Each structure stands twice: as structure tokens, then as C-alpha cells.
Amino acid sequence: MTAPVTVYVPCDSAALSVGADLVAAELEAAGRPIRVVRNGSRGMLWLEPLVEVVTDRGRIGYGPVEPERVGDLVAAGLLDGADHELCQGVVDQLPWLADQTRICFARVGITDPLSPEDYLAHGGMAGLRRALARSGGDVVAEVTESGLRGRGGAGFPAGIKWKTVADTPGPDKFVCCNADEGDSGTFADRMLMEGDPFTLVEGMTIAGYAVGAQEGYIYIRSEYPDAVRTMRKAIEIARAQGWLGGDVLGSGVRFDLHVRVGAGAYICGEETAMLESLEGKRGMVRAKPPIPAITGLFGKPTVVNNVLTLASVPAILADGAPAYQALGVERSRGTQVFQLAGNIARGGVFETAFGLSLRDLAERYGGATRTGRPIRAVQVGGPLGAYVPESGLDLPLSTRRSPRPARCSATAASWFSTTRSTWRRWRGSRWSSAPRSPAASARPAGSARYVAWR
């Protein structure tokens, strides 16, 4: 009997939106024994749905595959890895992936997101096991030594925040993951939760052990129903595997997780507004001090980190702080997951060490603009970030750099191209707008940052 061919079809929301479920159904009805595995997205969104076939040469990718073309592709030898106009070759050898340094996204697109066997086979739980063999203080020290900074926007050192929580007395402490990814052009948190949820579970459990917390909450925006379902299922599986609960990995340590869904308020992306929402109140920003690390959820010491920060922790504990610190530049250590969106030829996620230039990201990997027009500006850091003109694209990407970094804590980059005059203002920059609208002229100098075009 012929062994079934293993075929990977993404279950990521981006792939589902362009027909991945229909593609999977067509493949299962192809008439040959196959095993369809629903994986996360590889991050090459212009190729979705990307179908991968396991062969002796590796996983051969085909994309973008439309449901109505599945029959012709199978007839042309897709299940044997045959050549075709949609064949991309061995996926791991594609420059987009081969040039990345993936830590957060190391398993995304490779494994079945909800298979504990896959997770363990690809290095999962190594970080948690190493953490549990040490004291909580040693774990905090390792995270501090790694140089990991928050990936949610402020770039605050994660180890310092954890130490503050650990050193604050009290029997009840919490770990909260801010997954309220509300900025336009951002999708890395969603892709990680849908593509490798156990990484987040492991990272939060390590954080809980390190600071002495026994309970954690993942706050996910309501617009991410697939991520909510995946995380809830992953938590159920983790409990059954002994990765969560009253005896984590047989260590006697207690830690459990819960998913809470936001109600659509953008302001709840701010940490204290998120805490208000978790407490069942209206999401509004709290005055500081006190800071959440001292007086957080329900008035208790609370670690608040975003998805990518917590997803970096398992690798830091598994491989050691020096390995993580060896990546990056200056005070920006480790990797960043860059999200490419807007008028760009190849949109998606690209994870690499800090220090890559905006120009390389835009032109070498992003393929420049989708329309073929020259790049006029790149918006970095989401809608509240800065607009960098074409003349500034050689800036290295980092969280902190002088003079004038291309700061990228929020990880998003959008590309703009125009053919007529563009109004451009960038607070503190030397490039100005022409012409300016009467409303803009009435604003105090340096009071706004925006791009508009006609």
C-alpha cells in the first residue's frame, strides 16, 4: 500500500481569507492517499495559500494556490513535487526564509500549531524545563542579561520589569499578555498565536515561575476569533500535557492561563486600560504611578508584556542569555519581527536581528512598491510612528539609536508612493510639507505627524 503523502495547508487567518480551507478540501478529494496538516503561515503572504508537499528533497511549496486549480496541479504532479509555474521550490531555501533569524517564529509554518508532539519534537519546553531547574531569581537574571526589551512599543527592559514584580511582596501576582494588536498594518501577534500558541504558553509560564505568579491572562482583541479559538484549545491541551496546572512538568509549581477577549476598544492596547478591562471595568488609562509591576491587575503586582516579548523568553532560557545577546546592535539585542504592509510587492513577516536597514527590508525583501512607483516614504512603528523619507532608508532598524533611529518597537512598516505633491510632516525632521493646508498651518509647530496625498 502506498504511504500517504504529507501536504501542509495553512490555517492562518490570512490564508483562510483567500481560500485555504477550500484548497485543503480539494486536496483531500484528489483521489490519492494524502495526509493534510494545517500549519501556520510561513509569513510570505503574497504566496497564500501556500501548499507544501513533503518530498525527499524537502518541503516543496506551491503558491498562491486557488481552489479551482487544485485538480490541475495534482494532475501535473503536485503530490510528487513536480515542477509547475506555481512551484516555488524547497521552501526553506527561499531567500525570504533563508535570510531570516527566527526565534519567535522558529516553528511557525513548520509544525501543526496544536500538536504537542510536534512542539516537543522541535525544541518546545526546553526553556521551561531549564527554568524550573533554577531559582526564580536566576531566571529573572538570565532574562535581564539577555537584553530583551519589550516589543510592545516602549522598549522597556523585560528583566527589570520582572525583577520589580518579583521583589514586590504579596501572595498574589499575575502575568498578563497584551495581545490587543490594534494598530493598522500589524499582524505578527495574531500569526504567532495562530501558528505556534504553545510558545506563548511556555513563555508566560516561565514568567510566572520567575516572579512568583500562579495565574496569567491573555487579552486578545475581539477581531481575532481564530486566534482566540487556537489559544483556548492550546491551553486545554497544555493542561492535559501537564504544562499548566497545579504541578507544571512534575515540578510542584502551580501556574494556569486564561483567555479574555476585548470588546473592540483601541485604547485597551495600552497596558493600564487593558488591566481595567480585565477587571470588568471600562477600558481607560490609569494614572501612573503606581506602575502595574507594583499595583497592577486587581491591585496586585503584575507583569505586562506583549506577545512577541513573551515568545522570545523560551529561546533565551533554552539557549542561554549570551546566545540571544549576540544578536542585534548596541542596546537593541535579539531579533525583531518586522511586518511589511501597504503598497509593497511582498508583504508579510520577516524576523531578523536588529541592525538591518530600512532599504534592505523595503527593496531586497519587500520587493519595493507593488505599483512599481518609487518609494516616497516608509511609516515605521505603526500609525503612531514616524514617516521616514526615501533619503532616510539607510537607517538601521533598532529600538534605541542616535542620531534619529528608525525605531521599530511596534514592528510595523507601511510603504507609500505618490505621483503628485505629497504633504509630509515629521516632527523634528528637516523635510517639510509643500503645500500646507490652512488647518495644518493653524497647528502649533511640531504638533502633528501625518502623510496625505492628492
Side-chain angles (χ1 to χ4, degrees), residues 95-106 151 188 308 312 323-324 326-329 332-340 348-358 360-362 364-365 395-399 408 411:
W96 175 277
L97 288 175
D99 291 352
Q100 294 190 44
T101 303
R102 287 197 162 191
I103 291 180
C104 296
F105 274 64
R151 300 295 191 252
L308 298 180
S312 301
Y324 190 82
L327 301 170
V329 294
S332 301
R333 313 316 306 177
T335 63
Q336 179 63 294
V337 181
F338 299 103
Q339 298 149 91
L340 283 62
V349 295
F350 191 93
E351 183 177 3
T352 191
F354 285 108
L356 182 73
S357 73
L358 261 177
D360 276 346
L361 191 62
R364 182 177 177 185
Y365 299 111
L395 287 168
L397 291 158
S398 64
T399 55
C408 53
T411 74

Side-chain angles (χ1 to χ4, degrees), residues 372-449:
R373 296 172 180 170
I375 295 175
R376 303 299 187 192
V378 178
Q379 182 191 35
V380 295
L384 300 181
Y387 292 90
V388 181
E390 192 279 337
S391 60
L393 295 187
D394 291 315
L395 287 168
L397 291 158
S398 64
T399 55
R400 292 286 190 278
R401 188 177 173 88
S402 179
R404 280 216 185 277
R407 290 187 57 188
C408 53
S409 295
T411 74
S414 298
W415 275 255
F416 296 89
S417 64
T418 63
T419 54
R420 301 185 66 184
S421 62
T422 301
W423 297 340
R424 298 168 294 193
R425 294 186 66 208
W426 185 23
R427 184 165 67 181
S429 73
R430 287 178 290 182
W431 58 296
S432 59
S433 60
R436 294 180 69 189
S437 69
S441 299
R443 295 179 185 271
S447 65
R449 289 167 287 180

Side-chain angles (χ1 to χ4, degrees), residues 164-228:
T164 302
V165 175
D167 290 347
T168 302
D172 298 320
K173 299 179 182 181
F174 297 99
V175 176
C176 291
C177 174
N178 188 343
D180 191 65
E181 188 178 43
D183 287 348
S184 58
T186 58
F187 41 86
D189 292 356
R190 175 191 61 74
M191 290 183 69
L192 189 133
M193 288 187 290
E194 293 177 5
D196 190 16
F198 294 131
T199 290
L200 183 56
V201 170
E202 184 177 0
M204 293 187 70
T205 306
I206 292 171
Y209 171 69
V211 304
Q214 296 187 352
E215 198 169 9
Y217 292 89
I218 306 172
Y219 187 90
I220 307 177
R221 65 190 307 233
S222 59
E223 294 87 346
Y224 284 174
D226 294 323
V228 170

Side-chain angles (χ1 to χ4, degrees), residues 62-80:
Y62 297 82
V65 176
E66 299 172 352
E68 55 270 21
R69 299 197 64 180
V70 170
D72 292 339
L73 279 165
V74 171
L78 173 142
L79 297 179
D80 300 310

